[in-house]
Amino acid sequence: MVMIPPASAAADLTVAAALAAQDGRSASVAGYVVGQPVATDSVLRSGFTADTAIAIADQATETGTTRMLYVQVTSGFRASFGLRTNPGLLGRRIVVAGQLTAYFAHGGLKEPTSMSAGATEPGDYYAAAAGRTGPALRAALHGIIANQTRISYAQVWTALQQTDQDPANASNVILLYSGRSQSKSSNGGNANDWNREHVWPQSHGDFGTAAGPGTDLHHLRPEDVTVNSTRGNKDFDTGGSTVAECPGCRTDADSFEPRDAVKGDVARMLMYMAIRYEGGDGWPDLELNDSVTNGSAPRTGRLSVLLQWHRADPPDAVERRRNDVIFSTWQHNRNPFIDHPEWVVAIWG
């Protein structure tokens, strides 16, 4: 993972100030990502074709190219800040430091030395949760994230090709447990295909694949067919024997342990499900507990281990990008525990 240090907020220029300077000096500029420059006076707002440049502006809705700063995205930053790989970056506020000099024969910033991004949710998205803790926080978050667009199980195939796209290869997805990069088109039910893994098992609440918890992208991930079958509907815990085609994974009769790099991801997906589905909208009341023998009950564990995984593996750029794409393109709701990891302790201790 490339570490991308934030620029100093005290020295940040506006885009307007950066455009007025263009004197070759180094500076830090803050602005909103508004597209991909392709010519002096042309910026793509969708259908991005490359990861090598972004345009930023002082307003997220800016459409006038004369008020945009064209920013070169060098190789070390493309996985996190290229728009072809990260379409959810559009509209996001970023801070970038580099040389103020023309790019695409246009006011620009080249040779960036740092790039950092802020949260993408609207400023008031979590307003109802402000200052709350415990049951009050839980209730507030449920009310916020229950406002979502439901998608069909068939749409999940297309959505996962976007949410889990390999940052290094736009033709592939990254499989959750195994970590393998695999062609987007190799989805299906045959050996070595990838299919739709329900991180919260369908049988733990018997919700199936109807629009709702069965199609919620915040816990659906691409995974190798065989590995998915090995995981089955087991709860999560540590220990067991190694899993074929899944380096770092272990399993026994009643539990599954994913690789270290996604343990926190798994924990936060399950925590989202426990808050989103409270039993009041026709779906079961999903809850986390400390058991690994939950069977068909609407329960998943082991909570004590999931809390450890959350602490040991905090949200990274890939997980945040996934949250952004689900929010901006598909369901229009967010996983609050990616945006605010501290809320896990505020709810579960």
Side-chain angles (χ1 to χ4, degrees):
M1 176 180 169
V2 176
M3 296 301 293
I4 304 171
S8 170
D12 296 344
L13 298 179
T14 64
V15 169
L19 288 169
Q22 294 298 292
D23 53 9
R25 65 186 166 111
S26 295
S28 178
V29 184
Y32 294 90
V33 178
V34 292
Q36 176 202 337
V38 290
T40 302
D41 57 358
S42 181
V43 170
L44 296 179
R45 296 277 298 175
S46 62
F48 306 116
T49 59
D51 288 329
T52 54
I54 56 175
I56 64 174
D58 287 325
Q59 302 294 326
T61 56
E62 184 62 71
T63 58
T65 58
T66 60
R67 292 180 293 277
M68 297 178 185
L69 185 74
Y70 288 3
V71 177
Q72 182 183 31
V73 182
T74 49
S75 59
F77 296 104
R78 288 172 190 164
S80 297
F81 290 91
L83 276 170
R84 184 181 65 178
T85 298
N86 304 280
L89 192 65
L90 191 71
R92 190 166 184 174
R93 184 181 184 273
I94 73 166
V95 179
V96 56
Q99 184 182 11
L100 296 177
T101 189
Y103 188 42
F104 282 88
H106 182 284
L109 184 149
K110 296 178 69 173
E111 299 298 328
T113 57
S114 70
M115 300 181 81
S116 62
T120 61
E121 73 270 12
D124 60 351
Y125 185 75
Y126 291 118
R132 297 176 183 268
T133 190
L137 175 60
R138 180 180 186 130
L141 291 178
H142 170 72
I144 293 166
I145 65 178
N147 183 16
Q148 73 182 90
T149 299
R150 295 179 181 178
I151 67 172
S152 71
Y153 199 44
Q155 287 179 295
V156 170
W157 289 120
T158 302
L160 293 182
Q161 293 179 19
Q162 296 179 13
T163 60
D164 292 78
Q165 180 173 287
D166 183 349
N169 185 345
S171 298
N172 285 11
V173 292
I174 297 291
L175 308 188
L176 173 63
Y177 303 134
S178 60
R180 189 169 74 228
S181 178
Q182 184 157 325
S183 170
K184 291 178 176 178
S185 63
S186 64
N187 59 302
N190 298 320
N192 295 319
D193 284 348
W194 63 268
N195 60 5
R196 297 161 291 189
E197 155 70 342
H198 289 78
V199 178
W200 188 293
Q202 300 172 50
S203 63
H204 290 216
D206 293 325
F207 51 72
T209 60
T215 67
D216 197 312
L217 293 172
H218 283 294
H219 85 118
L220 278 157
R221 302 294 293 265
E223 187 48 68
D224 174 85
V225 167
T226 304
V227 175
N228 194 347
S229 177
T230 298
R231 189 269 161 131
N233 67 350
K234 296 174 183 176
D235 292 89
F236 291 96
D237 201 354
T238 57
S241 57
T242 59
V243 177
E245 298 187 77
C246 195
C249 301
R250 305 183 72 84
T251 192
D252 57 21
D254 55 17
S255 70
F256 186 86
E257 178 181 357
R259 59 192 174 102
D260 289 347
V262 296
K263 283 178 175 174
D265 306 50
V266 166
R268 287 180 286 275
M269 285 185 277
L270 297 175
M271 292 165 181
Y272 162 89
M273 293 292 283
I275 298 299
R276 167 60 187 89
Y277 297 98
E278 296 279 24
D281 53 358
W283 299 110
D285 180 7
L286 305 182
E287 297 291 348
L288 295 171
N289 64 13
D290 219 39
S291 172
V292 290
T293 57
N294 283 299
S296 61
R299 305 287 182 265
T300 292
R302 182 180 305 266
L303 176 58
S304 58
V305 171
L306 296 173
L307 290 171
Q308 294 172 21
W309 291 355
H310 166 71
R311 291 192 297 269
D313 175 35
D316 60 16
V318 172
E319 193 176 358
R320 289 191 293 268
R321 174 195 173 273
R322 189 174 197 277
N323 199 23
D324 293 343
V325 174
I326 293 172
F327 176 69
S328 63
T329 306
W330 293 97
Q331 294 183 185
H332 311 298
N333 72 339
R334 303 184 66 81
N335 182 331
F337 306 112
I338 297 173
D339 295 324
H340 293 274
E342 71 277 9
W343 282 345
V344 171
V345 175
I347 292 175
W348 286 284

